[in-house]
Amino acid sequence: MKKGEILEGRIEKVDFPNRGIIRMDNRQVIVKNGIPGQKVRFSVSKVRKGKCEGRILEVTEPSPLEVAPDCIHFASCGGCTYRNMSYEEQLRLKEAQIKELLDSVCRDYHFEGIKASPLQEGYRNKMEFSFGDEEKDGPLALGMHKRGSFYDIVTVNDCRIVHPDFRKILACVLEFARGTGLPFYHKLSHQGYFRHLLVRRAVKTEEILIDLVTSTQASPDLTPMREALLKLPLEGRIAGILHTSNDSLADVIQNDHTDLLYGQDYFYEELLGLKFKISPFSFFQTNSLGAEVLYETARTYIGETKDKVIFDLYSGTGTIAQILAPVAKHVTGVEIVEEAVEAARENAALNGLDNCSFLAGDVLKVIDELTEKPDLIVLDPPRDGIHPKALGKIIRFGVERMVYISCKPTSLVRDLEVLQASRYQVERVCCVDMFPGTGHVETVALLTKKAQ
């Protein structure tokens, strides 16, 4: 087997998140974006001892699990992975993937399977669309990255994972951008104007926040865009229209400066009877109804909180802290993003909760400043999991119970190994599908301290 060779094989299984496994010539070949049972032609892209990687060129024989994708962009867009499988099969696949990962490190735990997202279409409350072109020097595009491409953009004007309001806003902004004649920001030359379009829409309140992100290399009049957006026949209500300047060389949405073009720079969403104020860049779960399932599951795992001191580490905008606060003695949240901490404090006041406090800073450092001894700890870290030194400090608190919420199960199982080595037993685990159509899933684990 050589790099560049064209071969054909059948995908036996798919490991998390989308690593298809083909076995041939006593070797394992990993190909992405396939589904179990497909026979595919692939090009060998990497060759290592015992393992190879390949890129799928075409499906020569469909899988018995395969269905016609329900999105016209699926073949080209890199946003979704499994829209060519029924939702029931997507859940079975994700459940099996997570169970296999957990079984590799955990013993004698209760696996409670996977809970479905209440919505399978139009579930996302936030999208970051990118400007670019679908082919070199082609017309201006606005949407998602083309599957397998760092540069090419697909205009996803019929995306199925967002509410129709998103699609109308995307089309309106793209028409305005094309009308200016200004180019998009090129990642290599660092020249150009249009960079991203950030849209957030609450499911419960139906409030919408729109943020056009550009470089400072031009200064067109944005009034026509604002007026066109305000005239759109939307189901929701535009709470604010913003313009953010970003001259960062990295391909990320960075806020160097934001001007308010209309309304306000925040909107409100509701979860489990609580109200949350959300700013453009603060973290909030992207599936509001799925988040209710996730946090209700976590609350069940946490159990009795009356008169208890709780640490909510990696607390974001304080959602979990505020869900637990009504019957707790005190909840302390720690979050590195200062904007999210400010939002958490405002949200606690908005919900009449005076037994929550939120600290801004890295958990690794802030944890040394916490003087209270917690009765239980909730962990909801970013995708890479918990810094090893921070995890050591968390373990030293010696709490009887921890609940770990993870958006990346490979990071979770790595941290569970460390926790189990420190006499914590994994008791229960449940998955919540927050991202239908994609390879991602949330996982909730309950750990209890073993007796000496």
Side-chain angles (χ1 to χ4, degrees), residues 1 7-14 19-32 34-35 37-43 50-52 54-56:
M1 195 174 291
L7 299 170
E8 189 172 39
R10 192 175 300 278
I11 299 174
E12 296 181 8
K13 58 179 290 195
V14 176
R19 293 161 56 88
I21 307 298
I22 298 173
R23 300 185 195 280
M24 56 193 312
D25 299 334
N26 296 318
R27 288 193 176 188
Q28 178 177 287
V29 185
I30 297 171
V31 295
K32 293 184 178 179
I35 65 175
Q38 283 179 332
K39 193 172 185 180
V40 299
R41 283 181 68 246
F42 63 93
S43 171
K51 288 186 180 181
C52 302
R55 180 173 60 87
I56 294 176

PDB file of all heavy atoms in Angstrom, residues 1 7-14 19-32 34-35 37-43 50-52 54-56:
ATOM      1  N   MET A   1       0.859  -1.195   0.000  1.00  0.00           N
ATOM      2  CA  MET A   1       0.000   0.000   0.000  1.00  0.00           C
ATOM      3  C   MET A   1       0.891   1.240   0.000  1.00  0.00           C
ATOM      4  O   MET A   1       1.751   1.398   0.870  1.00  0.00           O
ATOM      5  CB  MET A   1      -0.924  -0.011   1.216  1.00  0.00           C
ATOM      6  CG  MET A   1      -2.079   0.970   1.139  1.00  0.00           C
ATOM      7  SD  MET A   1      -3.217   0.779   2.531  1.00  0.00           S
ATOM      8  CE  MET A   1      -3.952  -0.814   2.191  1.00  0.00           C
ATOM      9  N   LEU A   7      -7.555   2.623  -4.126  1.00  0.00           N
ATOM     10  CA  LEU A   7      -8.004   1.295  -3.705  1.00  0.00           C
ATOM     11  C   LEU A   7      -9.502   1.304  -3.452  1.00  0.00           C
ATOM     12  O   LEU A   7     -10.138   2.365  -3.408  1.00  0.00           O
ATOM     13  CB  LEU A   7      -7.254   0.864  -2.440  1.00  0.00           C
ATOM     14  CG  LEU A   7      -5.722   0.749  -2.561  1.00  0.00           C
ATOM     15  CD1 LEU A   7      -5.104   0.547  -1.195  1.00  0.00           C
ATOM     16  CD2 LEU A   7      -5.349  -0.393  -3.496  1.00  0.00           C
ATOM     17  N   GLU A   8     -10.045   0.127  -3.216  1.00  0.00           N
ATOM     18  CA  GLU A   8     -11.472  -0.010  -2.928  1.00  0.00           C
ATOM     19  C   GLU A   8     -11.643  -0.939  -1.735  1.00  0.00           C
ATOM     20  O   GLU A   8     -10.954  -1.957  -1.620  1.00  0.00           O
ATOM     21  CB  GLU A   8     -12.217  -0.562  -4.148  1.00  0.00           C
ATOM     22  CG  GLU A   8     -13.726  -0.539  -4.017  1.00  0.00           C
ATOM     23  CD  GLU A   8     -14.433  -0.904  -5.318  1.00  0.00           C
ATOM     24  OE1 GLU A   8     -13.935  -1.822  -6.015  1.00  0.00           O
ATOM     25  OE2 GLU A   8     -15.471  -0.290  -5.636  1.00  0.00           O
ATOM     26  N   GLY A   9     -12.548  -0.577  -0.841  1.00  0.00           N
ATOM     27  CA  GLY A   9     -12.791  -1.414   0.329  1.00  0.00           C
ATOM     28  C   GLY A   9     -14.114  -1.059   0.980  1.00  0.00           C
ATOM     29  O   GLY A   9     -14.760  -0.064   0.623  1.00  0.00           O
ATOM     30  N   ARG A  10     -14.495  -1.883   1.959  1.00  0.00           N
ATOM     31  CA  ARG A  10     -15.775  -1.666   2.644  1.00  0.00           C
ATOM     32  C   ARG A  10     -15.538  -1.159   4.062  1.00  0.00           C
ATOM     33  O   ARG A  10     -14.664  -1.666   4.780  1.00  0.00           O
ATOM     34  CB  ARG A  10     -16.579  -2.968   2.689  1.00  0.00           C
ATOM     35  CG  ARG A  10     -18.040  -2.760   3.128  1.00  0.00           C
ATOM     36  CD  ARG A  10     -18.843  -4.050   3.041  1.00  0.00           C
ATOM     37  NE  ARG A  10     -18.893  -4.601   1.691  1.00  0.00           N
ATOM     38  CZ  ARG A  10     -19.734  -4.185   0.738  1.00  0.00           C
ATOM     39  NH1 ARG A  10     -20.584  -3.187   0.997  1.00  0.00           N
ATOM     40  NH2 ARG A  10     -19.716  -4.752  -0.453  1.00  0.00           N
ATOM     41  N   ILE A  11     -16.298  -0.165   4.456  1.00  0.00           N
ATOM     42  CA  ILE A  11     -16.191   0.394   5.809  1.00  0.00           C
ATOM     43  C   ILE A  11     -16.872  -0.554   6.779  1.00  0.00           C
ATOM     44  O   ILE A  11     -18.089  -0.766   6.714  1.00  0.00           O
ATOM     45  CB  ILE A  11     -16.820   1.797   5.880  1.00  0.00           C
ATOM     46  CG1 ILE A  11     -16.091   2.755   4.921  1.00  0.00           C
ATOM     47  CG2 ILE A  11     -16.770   2.327   7.311  1.00  0.00           C
ATOM     48  CD1 ILE A  11     -16.734   4.126   4.817  1.00  0.00           C
ATOM     49  N   GLU A  12     -16.096  -1.150   7.680  1.00  0.00           N
ATOM     50  CA  GLU A  12     -16.638  -2.126   8.623  1.00  0.00           C
ATOM     51  C   GLU A  12     -17.349  -1.453   9.797  1.00  0.00           C
ATOM     52  O   GLU A  12     -18.370  -1.926  10.288  1.00  0.00           O
ATOM     53  CB  GLU A  12     -15.519  -3.018   9.157  1.00  0.00           C
ATOM     54  CG  GLU A  12     -14.856  -3.879   8.094  1.00  0.00           C
ATOM     55  CD  GLU A  12     -13.769  -4.749   8.687  1.00  0.00           C
ATOM     56  OE1 GLU A  12     -13.637  -4.791   9.932  1.00  0.00           O
ATOM     57  OE2 GLU A  12     -13.037  -5.392   7.901  1.00  0.00           O
ATOM     58  N   LYS A  13     -16.764  -0.363  10.264  1.00  0.00           N
ATOM     59  CA  LYS A  13     -17.326   0.359  11.412  1.00  0.00           C
ATOM     60  C   LYS A  13     -16.839   1.795  11.342  1.00  0.00           C
ATOM     61  O   LYS A  13     -15.936   2.129  10.562  1.00  0.00           O
ATOM     62  CB  LYS A  13     -16.894  -0.281  12.735  1.00  0.00           C
ATOM     63  CG  LYS A  13     -15.383  -0.336  12.911  1.00  0.00           C
ATOM     64  CD  LYS A  13     -14.962  -0.951  14.239  1.00  0.00           C
ATOM     65  CE  LYS A  13     -15.292  -0.060  15.408  1.00  0.00           C
ATOM     66  NZ  LYS A  13     -14.599  -0.427  16.655  1.00  0.00           N
ATOM     67  N   VAL A  14     -17.438   2.656  12.167  1.00  0.00           N
ATOM     68  CA  VAL A  14     -17.009   4.053  12.247  1.00  0.00           C
ATOM     69  C   VAL A  14     -16.761   4.384  13.710  1.00  0.00           C
ATOM     70  O   VAL A  14     -17.669   4.311  14.538  1.00  0.00           O
ATOM     71  CB  VAL A  14     -18.061   5.014  11.644  1.00  0.00           C
ATOM     72  CG1 VAL A  14     -17.617   6.466  11.834  1.00  0.00           C
ATOM     73  CG2 VAL A  14     -18.283   4.722  10.168  1.00  0.00           C
ATOM     74  N   ARG A  19     -14.411   8.334  12.001  1.00  0.00           N
ATOM     75  CA  ARG A  19     -13.256   7.594  11.498  1.00  0.00           C
ATOM     76  C   ARG A  19     -13.698   6.211  11.013  1.00  0.00           C
ATOM     77  O   ARG A  19     -13.832   5.274  11.799  1.00  0.00           O
ATOM     78  CB  ARG A  19     -12.186   7.469  12.588  1.00  0.00           C
ATOM     79  CG  ARG A  19     -11.555   8.800  12.966  1.00  0.00           C
ATOM     80  CD  ARG A  19     -10.873   8.737  14.324  1.00  0.00           C
ATOM     81  NE  ARG A  19      -9.876   7.689  14.407  1.00  0.00           N
ATOM     82  CZ  ARG A  19      -8.603   7.843  14.048  1.00  0.00           C
ATOM     83  NH1 ARG A  19      -8.172   9.018  13.590  1.00  0.00           N
ATOM     84  NH2 ARG A  19      -7.746   6.853  14.167  1.00  0.00           N
ATOM     85  N   GLY A  20     -13.956   6.117   9.714  1.00  0.00           N
ATOM     86  CA  GLY A  20     -14.351   4.842   9.137  1.00  0.00           C
ATOM     87  C   GLY A  20     -13.167   3.886   9.067  1.00  0.00           C
ATOM     88  O   GLY A  20     -12.046   4.288   8.746  1.00  0.00           O
ATOM     89  N   ILE A  21     -13.418   2.614   9.373  1.00  0.00           N
ATOM     90  CA  ILE A  21     -12.369   1.598   9.409  1.00  0.00           C
ATOM     91  C   ILE A  21     -12.551   0.621   8.249  1.00  0.00           C
ATOM     92  O   ILE A  21     -13.600  -0.020   8.113  1.00  0.00           O
ATOM     93  CB  ILE A  21     -12.377   0.822  10.743  1.00  0.00           C
ATOM     94  CG1 ILE A  21     -12.333   1.795  11.939  1.00  0.00           C
ATOM     95  CG2 ILE A  21     -11.229  -0.174  10.785  1.00  0.00           C
ATOM     96  CD1 ILE A  21     -11.102   2.651  12.004  1.00  0.00           C
ATOM     97  N   ILE A  22     -11.512   0.512   7.403  1.00  0.00           N
ATOM     98  CA  ILE A  22     -11.457  -0.467   6.319  1.00  0.00           C
ATOM     99  C   ILE A  22     -10.253  -1.371   6.590  1.00  0.00           C
ATOM    100  O   ILE A  22      -9.162  -0.888   6.868  1.00  0.00           O
ATOM    101  CB  ILE A  22     -11.291   0.218   4.948  1.00  0.00           C
ATOM    102  CG1 ILE A  22     -12.487   1.126   4.647  1.00  0.00           C
ATOM    103  CG2 ILE A  22     -11.124  -0.820   3.842  1.00  0.00           C
ATOM    104  CD1 ILE A  22     -12.312   1.970   3.387  1.00  0.00           C
ATOM    105  N   ARG A  23     -10.461  -2.689   6.530  1.00  0.00           N
ATOM    106  CA  ARG A  23      -9.349  -3.617   6.745  1.00  0.00           C
ATOM    107  C   ARG A  23      -9.004  -4.298   5.421  1.00  0.00           C
ATOM    108  O   ARG A  23      -9.875  -4.884   4.769  1.00  0.00           O
ATOM    109  CB  ARG A  23      -9.708  -4.656   7.805  1.00  0.00           C
ATOM    110  CG  ARG A  23     -10.042  -4.042   9.152  1.00  0.00           C
ATOM    111  CD  ARG A  23     -10.271  -5.080  10.225  1.00  0.00           C
ATOM    112  NE  ARG A  23     -10.927  -4.497  11.385  1.00  0.00           N
ATOM    113  CZ  ARG A  23     -10.328  -3.803  12.339  1.00  0.00           C
ATOM    114  NH1 ARG A  23      -9.012  -3.609  12.255  1.00  0.00           N
ATOM    115  NH2 ARG A  23     -10.999  -3.313  13.356  1.00  0.00           N
ATOM    116  N   MET A  24      -7.724  -4.226   5.045  1.00  0.00           N
ATOM    117  CA  MET A  24      -7.256  -4.896   3.826  1.00  0.00           C
ATOM    118  C   MET A  24      -5.749  -5.080   3.897  1.00  0.00           C
ATOM    119  O   MET A  24      -5.033  -4.247   4.475  1.00  0.00           O
ATOM    120  CB  MET A  24      -7.660  -4.097   2.586  1.00  0.00           C
ATOM    121  CG  MET A  24      -7.208  -2.666   2.546  1.00  0.00           C
ATOM    122  SD  MET A  24      -8.045  -1.693   1.256  1.00  0.00           S
ATOM    123  CE  MET A  24      -7.904  -2.734  -0.164  1.00  0.00           C
ATOM    124  N   ASP A  25      -5.286  -6.170   3.333  1.00  0.00           N
ATOM    125  CA  ASP A  25      -3.854  -6.488   3.325  1.00  0.00           C
ATOM    126  C   ASP A  25      -3.257  -6.447   4.727  1.00  0.00           C
ATOM    127  O   ASP A  25      -2.147  -5.935   4.946  1.00  0.00           O
ATOM    128  CB  ASP A  25      -3.079  -5.517   2.415  1.00  0.00           C
ATOM    129  CG  ASP A  25      -3.534  -5.593   0.969  1.00  0.00           C
ATOM    130  OD1 ASP A  25      -4.040  -6.660   0.568  1.00  0.00           O
ATOM    131  OD2 ASP A  25      -3.380  -4.588   0.253  1.00  0.00           O
ATOM    132  N   ASN A  26      -4.030  -6.983   5.698  1.00  0.00           N
ATOM    133  CA  ASN A  26      -3.575  -7.011   7.095  1.00  0.00           C
ATOM    134  C   ASN A  26      -3.294  -5.624   7.651  1.00  0.00           C
ATOM    135  O   ASN A  26      -2.523  -5.459   8.593  1.00  0.00           O
ATOM    136  CB  ASN A  26      -2.319  -7.876   7.240  1.00  0.00           C
ATOM    137  CG  ASN A  26      -2.601  -9.325   6.899  1.00  0.00           C
ATOM    138  OD1 ASN A  26      -3.637  -9.862   7.294  1.00  0.00           O
ATOM    139  ND2 ASN A  26      -1.693  -9.949   6.158  1.00  0.00           N
ATOM    140  N   ARG A  27      -3.909  -4.619   7.047  1.00  0.00           N
ATOM    141  CA  ARG A  27      -3.756  -3.250   7.544  1.00  0.00           C
ATOM    142  C   ARG A  27      -5.121  -2.623   7.797  1.00  0.00           C
ATOM    143  O   ARG A  27      -6.122  -3.035   7.214  1.00  0.00           O
ATOM    144  CB  ARG A  27      -2.985  -2.397   6.541  1.00  0.00           C
ATOM    145  CG  ARG A  27      -1.513  -2.723   6.459  1.00  0.00           C
ATOM    146  CD  ARG A  27      -0.775  -1.650   5.702  1.00  0.00           C
ATOM    147  NE  ARG A  27       0.655  -1.885   5.683  1.00  0.00           N
ATOM    148  CZ  ARG A  27       1.544  -1.017   5.225  1.00  0.00           C
ATOM    149  NH1 ARG A  27       1.144   0.148   4.744  1.00  0.00           N
ATOM    150  NH2 ARG A  27       2.837  -1.286   5.239  1.00  0.00           N
ATOM    151  N   GLN A  28      -5.115  -1.634   8.653  1.00  0.00           N
ATOM    152  CA  GLN A  28      -6.318  -0.869   8.939  1.00  0.00           C
ATOM    153  C   GLN A  28      -6.206   0.485   8.257  1.00  0.00           C
ATOM    154  O   GLN A  28      -5.237   1.202   8.454  1.00  0.00           O
ATOM    155  CB  GLN A  28      -6.474  -0.682  10.450  1.00  0.00           C
ATOM    156  CG  GLN A  28      -7.675   0.159  10.856  1.00  0.00           C
ATOM    157  CD  GLN A  28      -7.812   0.240  12.365  1.00  0.00           C
ATOM    158  OE1 GLN A  28      -8.190  -0.716  13.017  1.00  0.00           O
ATOM    159  NE2 GLN A  28      -7.482   1.389  12.917  1.00  0.00           N
ATOM    160  N   VAL A  29      -7.196   0.803   7.443  1.00  0.00           N
ATOM    161  CA  VAL A  29      -7.226   2.094   6.750  1.00  0.00           C
ATOM    162  C   VAL A  29      -8.333   2.940   7.367  1.00  0.00           C
ATOM    163  O   VAL A  29      -9.469   2.478   7.535  1.00  0.00           O
ATOM    164  CB  VAL A  29      -7.488   1.917   5.240  1.00  0.00           C
ATOM    165  CG1 VAL A  29      -7.399   3.273   4.535  1.00  0.00           C
ATOM    166  CG2 VAL A  29      -6.506   0.936   4.628  1.00  0.00           C
ATOM    167  N   ILE A  30      -7.998   4.169   7.709  1.00  0.00           N
ATOM    168  CA  ILE A  30      -8.978   5.097   8.287  1.00  0.00           C
ATOM    169  C   ILE A  30      -9.405   6.093   7.220  1.00  0.00           C
ATOM    170  O   ILE A  30      -8.572   6.774   6.616  1.00  0.00           O
ATOM    171  CB  ILE A  30      -8.380   5.847   9.494  1.00  0.00           C
ATOM    172  CG1 ILE A  30      -8.024   4.851  10.605  1.00  0.00           C
ATOM    173  CG2 ILE A  30      -9.359   6.896  10.015  1.00  0.00           C
ATOM    174  CD1 ILE A  30      -7.240   5.465  11.741  1.00  0.00           C
ATOM    175  N   VAL A  31     -10.719   6.155   6.974  1.00  0.00           N
ATOM    176  CA  VAL A  31     -11.271   7.142   6.041  1.00  0.00           C
ATOM    177  C   VAL A  31     -12.369   7.915   6.764  1.00  0.00           C
ATOM    178  O   VAL A  31     -13.110   7.355   7.559  1.00  0.00           O
ATOM    179  CB  VAL A  31     -11.837   6.477   4.760  1.00  0.00           C
ATOM    180  CG1 VAL A  31     -10.738   5.811   3.969  1.00  0.00           C
ATOM    181  CG2 VAL A  31     -12.937   5.467   5.105  1.00  0.00           C
ATOM    182  N   LYS A  32     -12.457   9.201   6.500  1.00  0.00           N
ATOM    183  CA  LYS A  32     -13.448  10.037   7.174  1.00  0.00           C
ATOM    184  C   LYS A  32     -14.692  10.243   6.315  1.00  0.00           C
ATOM    185  O   LYS A  32     -14.638  10.152   5.098  1.00  0.00           O
ATOM    186  CB  LYS A  32     -12.837  11.399   7.530  1.00  0.00           C
ATOM    187  CG  LYS A  32     -11.744  11.318   8.577  1.00  0.00           C
ATOM    188  CD  LYS A  32     -11.243  12.707   8.947  1.00  0.00           C
ATOM    189  CE  LYS A  32     -10.177  12.614  10.040  1.00  0.00           C
ATOM    190  NZ  LYS A  32      -9.658  13.958  10.411  1.00  0.00           N
ATOM    191  N   GLY A  34     -17.513   8.547   6.032  1.00  0.00           N
ATOM    192  CA  GLY A  34     -18.275   7.427   5.499  1.00  0.00           C
ATOM    193  C   GLY A  34     -19.191   6.865   6.567  1.00  0.00           C
ATOM    194  O   GLY A  34     -19.169   7.296   7.723  1.00  0.00           O
ATOM    195  N   ILE A  35     -20.009   5.879   6.187  1.00  0.00           N
ATOM    196  CA  ILE A  35     -20.878   5.228   7.161  1.00  0.00           C
ATOM    197  C   ILE A  35     -20.688   3.713   7.061  1.00  0.00           C
ATOM    198  O   ILE A  35     -20.253   3.202   6.027  1.00  0.00           O
ATOM    199  CB  ILE A  35     -22.360   5.617   6.977  1.00  0.00           C
ATOM    200  CG1 ILE A  35     -22.900   5.128   5.637  1.00  0.00           C
ATOM    201  CG2 ILE A  35     -22.546   7.113   7.134  1.00  0.00           C
ATOM    202  CD1 ILE A  35     -24.392   5.390   5.481  1.00  0.00           C
ATOM    203  N   GLY A  37     -20.764  -0.062   6.295  1.00  0.00           N
ATOM    204  CA  GLY A  37     -21.362  -0.840   5.221  1.00  0.00           C
ATOM    205  C   GLY A  37     -21.116  -0.290   3.835  1.00  0.00           C
ATOM    206  O   GLY A  37     -21.336  -0.995   2.837  1.00  0.00           O
ATOM    207  N   GLN A  38     -20.666   0.943   3.712  1.00  0.00           N
ATOM    208  CA  GLN A  38     -20.387   1.495   2.386  1.00  0.00           C
ATOM    209  C   GLN A  38     -19.135   0.852   1.785  1.00  0.00           C
ATOM    210  O   GLN A  38     -18.143   0.637   2.469  1.00  0.00           O
ATOM    211  CB  GLN A  38     -20.159   3.013   2.462  1.00  0.00           C
ATOM    212  CG  GLN A  38     -21.401   3.851   2.603  1.00  0.00           C
ATOM    213  CD  GLN A  38     -21.059   5.333   2.687  1.00  0.00           C
ATOM    214  OE1 GLN A  38     -19.983   5.710   3.141  1.00  0.00           O
ATOM    215  NE2 GLN A  38     -21.977   6.180   2.257  1.00  0.00           N
ATOM    216  N   LYS A  39     -19.196   0.581   0.472  1.00  0.00           N
ATOM    217  CA  LYS A  39     -18.001   0.207  -0.270  1.00  0.00           C
ATOM    218  C   LYS A  39     -17.527   1.462  -0.991  1.00  0.00           C
ATOM    219  O   LYS A  39     -18.309   2.118  -1.682  1.00  0.00           O
ATOM    220  CB  LYS A  39     -18.310  -0.905  -1.267  1.00  0.00           C
ATOM    221  CG  LYS A  39     -17.077  -1.574  -1.852  1.00  0.00           C
ATOM    222  CD  LYS A  39     -17.465  -2.796  -2.677  1.00  0.00           C
ATOM    223  CE  LYS A  39     -16.225  -3.534  -3.159  1.00  0.00           C
ATOM    224  NZ  LYS A  39     -16.590  -4.726  -3.971  1.00  0.00           N
ATOM    225  N   VAL A  40     -16.250   1.800  -0.816  1.00  0.00           N
ATOM    226  CA  VAL A  40     -15.764   3.085  -1.318  1.00  0.00           C
ATOM    227  C   VAL A  40     -14.452   2.930  -2.077  1.00  0.00           C
ATOM    228  O   VAL A  40     -13.651   2.027  -1.808  1.00  0.00           O
ATOM    229  CB  VAL A  40     -15.561   4.094  -0.161  1.00  0.00           C
ATOM    230  CG1 VAL A  40     -16.863   4.375   0.555  1.00  0.00           C
ATOM    231  CG2 VAL A  40     -14.508   3.602   0.831  1.00  0.00           C
ATOM    232  N   ARG A  41     -14.259   3.811  -3.056  1.00  0.00           N
ATOM    233  CA  ARG A  41     -12.958   4.006  -3.677  1.00  0.00           C
ATOM    234  C   ARG A  41     -12.268   5.125  -2.896  1.00  0.00           C
ATOM    235  O   ARG A  41     -12.874   6.152  -2.610  1.00  0.00           O
ATOM    236  CB  ARG A  41     -13.082   4.416  -5.143  1.00  0.00           C
ATOM    237  CG  ARG A  41     -13.423   3.277  -6.090  1.00  0.00           C
ATOM    238  CD  ARG A  41     -13.513   3.771  -7.524  1.00  0.00           C
ATOM    239  NE  ARG A  41     -12.202   4.174  -8.047  1.00  0.00           N
ATOM    240  CZ  ARG A  41     -11.866   5.412  -8.378  1.00  0.00           C
ATOM    241  NH1 ARG A  41     -12.747   6.409  -8.236  1.00  0.00           N
ATOM    242  NH2 ARG A  41     -10.676   5.691  -8.860  1.00  0.00           N
ATOM    243  N   PHE A  42     -11.010   4.907  -2.553  1.00  0.00           N
ATOM    244  CA  PHE A  42     -10.309   5.918  -1.765  1.00  0.00           C
ATOM    245  C   PHE A  42      -8.869   6.040  -2.231  1.00  0.00           C
ATOM    246  O   PHE A  42      -8.279   5.109  -2.800  1.00  0.00           O
ATOM    247  CB  PHE A  42     -10.363   5.584  -0.273  1.00  0.00           C
ATOM    248  CG  PHE A  42      -9.679   4.304   0.115  1.00  0.00           C
ATOM    249  CD1 PHE A  42      -8.352   4.297   0.528  1.00  0.00           C
ATOM    250  CD2 PHE A  42     -10.362   3.091   0.060  1.00  0.00           C
ATOM    251  CE1 PHE A  42      -7.717   3.121   0.887  1.00  0.00           C
ATOM    252  CE2 PHE A  42      -9.736   1.903   0.426  1.00  0.00           C
ATOM    253  CZ  PHE A  42      -8.415   1.916   0.838  1.00  0.00           C
ATOM    254  N   SER A  43      -8.327   7.213  -1.992  1.00  0.00           N
ATOM    255  CA  SER A  43      -6.932   7.492  -2.297  1.00  0.00           C
ATOM    256  C   SER A  43      -6.130   7.431  -1.002  1.00  0.00           C
ATOM    257  O   SER A  43      -6.524   8.048   0.008  1.00  0.00           O
ATOM    258  CB  SER A  43      -6.803   8.886  -2.922  1.00  0.00           C
ATOM    259  OG  SER A  43      -5.450   9.260  -3.041  1.00  0.00           O
ATOM    260  N   GLY A  50       1.424  -0.420  10.099  1.00  0.00           N
ATOM    261  CA  GLY A  50       0.189  -1.089  10.476  1.00  0.00           C
ATOM    262  C   GLY A  50      -1.072  -0.307  10.215  1.00  0.00           C
ATOM    263  O   GLY A  50      -2.168  -0.851  10.257  1.00  0.00           O
ATOM    264  N   LYS A  51      -0.967   0.997   9.960  1.00  0.00           N
ATOM    265  CA  LYS A  51      -2.159   1.837   9.765  1.00  0.00           C
ATOM    266  C   LYS A  51      -1.959   2.757   8.576  1.00  0.00           C
ATOM    267  O   LYS A  51      -0.844   3.196   8.293  1.00  0.00           O
ATOM    268  CB  LYS A  51      -2.467   2.663  11.009  1.00  0.00           C
ATOM    269  CG  LYS A  51      -3.012   1.855  12.168  1.00  0.00           C
ATOM    270  CD  LYS A  51      -3.439   2.770  13.304  1.00  0.00           C
ATOM    271  CE  LYS A  51      -3.993   1.980  14.476  1.00  0.00           C
ATOM    272  NZ  LYS A  51      -4.434   2.880  15.583  1.00  0.00           N
ATOM    273  N   CYS A  52      -3.064   3.045   7.926  1.00  0.00           N
ATOM    274  CA  CYS A  52      -3.036   3.981   6.809  1.00  0.00           C
ATOM    275  C   CYS A  52      -4.233   4.908   6.911  1.00  0.00           C
ATOM    276  O   CYS A  52      -5.209   4.606   7.600  1.00  0.00           O
ATOM    277  CB  CYS A  52      -3.098   3.234   5.469  1.00  0.00           C
ATOM    278  SG  CYS A  52      -1.775   2.057   5.223  1.00  0.00           S
ATOM    279  N   GLY A  54      -6.868   7.317   4.355  1.00  0.00           N
ATOM    280  CA  GLY A  54      -7.281   7.529   2.980  1.00  0.00           C
ATOM    281  C   GLY A  54      -8.369   8.572   2.876  1.00  0.00           C
ATOM    282  O   GLY A  54      -8.995   8.943   3.876  1.00  0.00           O
ATOM    283  N   ARG A  55      -8.585   9.042   1.664  1.00  0.00           N
ATOM    284  CA  ARG A  55      -9.635  10.030   1.390  1.00  0.00           C
ATOM    285  C   ARG A  55     -10.629   9.413   0.413  1.00  0.00           C
ATOM    286  O   ARG A  55     -10.252   8.929  -0.653  1.00  0.00           O
ATOM    287  CB  ARG A  55      -9.005  11.296   0.795  1.00  0.00           C
ATOM    288  CG  ARG A  55      -9.993  12.394   0.460  1.00  0.00           C
ATOM    289  CD  ARG A  55      -9.240  13.658   0.036  1.00  0.00           C
ATOM    290  NE  ARG A  55      -8.420  13.419  -1.144  1.00  0.00           N
ATOM    291  CZ  ARG A  55      -8.886  13.539  -2.398  1.00  0.00           C
ATOM    292  NH1 ARG A  55     -10.148  13.862  -2.613  1.00  0.00           N
ATOM    293  NH2 ARG A  55      -8.076  13.331  -3.422  1.00  0.00           N
ATOM    294  N   ILE A  56     -11.893   9.413   0.805  1.00  0.00           N
ATOM    295  CA  ILE A  56     -12.926   8.804  -0.025  1.00  0.00           C
ATOM    296  C   ILE A  56     -13.095   9.593  -1.321  1.00  0.00           C
ATOM    297  O   ILE A  56     -13.259  10.815  -1.301  1.00  0.00           O
ATOM    298  CB  ILE A  56     -14.266   8.734   0.734  1.00  0.00           C
ATOM    299  CG1 ILE A  56     -14.150   7.778   1.923  1.00  0.00           C
ATOM    300  CG2 ILE A  56     -15.399   8.269  -0.199  1.00  0.00           C
ATOM    301  CD1 ILE A  56     -15.399   7.709   2.784  1.00  0.00           C
TER     302      ILE A  56
END
